[in-house]
Amino acid sequence: MADQPDARRFIPLNIAVLTVSDTRRPEDDRSGDTLTQRLTEAGHRLADRAIVPDEIPAIRGQVEGWLRDPGVDVVISTGGTGFTGRDVTPEALEPLFEKRMDGFSAVFHRISYDKIGTSTLQSRATAGVAQATYVFVLPGSPGACRDAWDGILAQQLDYRHRPCNFVEIMPRLDEHLRRGASITV
């Protein structure tokens, strides 16, 4: 493939992984381990990794720090997407989105439905762009993290994926910020 004139080279991204849980610790964070293993095996770099409790200020604060860090291209969170009173990750992160990625949720649920049927309805997986950084909000199970990575993220975070991918538009994610206040949303 390298001999082809239109062949693209792999571009490694810096990806931060956030586990949202009141009970997980580094030694038993299977979902965070799953994401870390998959992203590094794909050739990306783990920019940072953290575990925070199911509390909006803790979740938002950690992600806002990564959004300000030019060394972080992508944030993937796992946990807190259900319907219990402690599940607040979408509430913490969706207000940060400048652009929602509704298709991510739709495709995630399609993949998940094939594995767990209608139980996929119990997840509020979401994604968006915030401060020119992709943010993906995944359920807290290792299986859901595998499904999201293998079925969506592995391809969309790979510059070689055709016909299009998230990497090729990264340089333009902040166009609205660079144009200034003349554009109203």
Side-chain angles (χ1 to χ4, degrees), residues 57-149:
I59 298 165
R60 190 174 292 162
Q62 180 64 60
V63 171
E64 284 177 327
W66 286 334
L67 295 177
R68 288 189 299 272
D69 183 343
V72 175
D73 302 310
V74 177
V75 173
I76 305 174
S77 74
T78 174
T81 65
F83 291 102
T84 72
R86 298 291 292 162
D87 292 324
V88 296
T89 308
E91 288 78 8
L93 298 182
E94 285 180 336
L96 301 177
F97 296 170
E98 294 144 7
K99 305 227 179 201
R100 290 181 50 96
M101 193 182 305
D102 296 328
F104 174 82
S105 180
V107 173
F108 174 80
H109 285 294
R110 175 65 180 95
I111 292 167
S112 182
Y113 181 82
D114 289 344
K115 305 240 172 129
I116 63 171
T118 59
S119 294
T120 190
L121 296 174
Q122 294 189 30
S123 166
R124 296 180 298 139
T126 187
V129 177
Q131 297 183 35
T133 303
Y134 294 112
V135 179
F136 300 96
V137 181
L138 309 180
S141 75
C145 291
R146 277 191 301 275
D147 292 347
W149 183 268

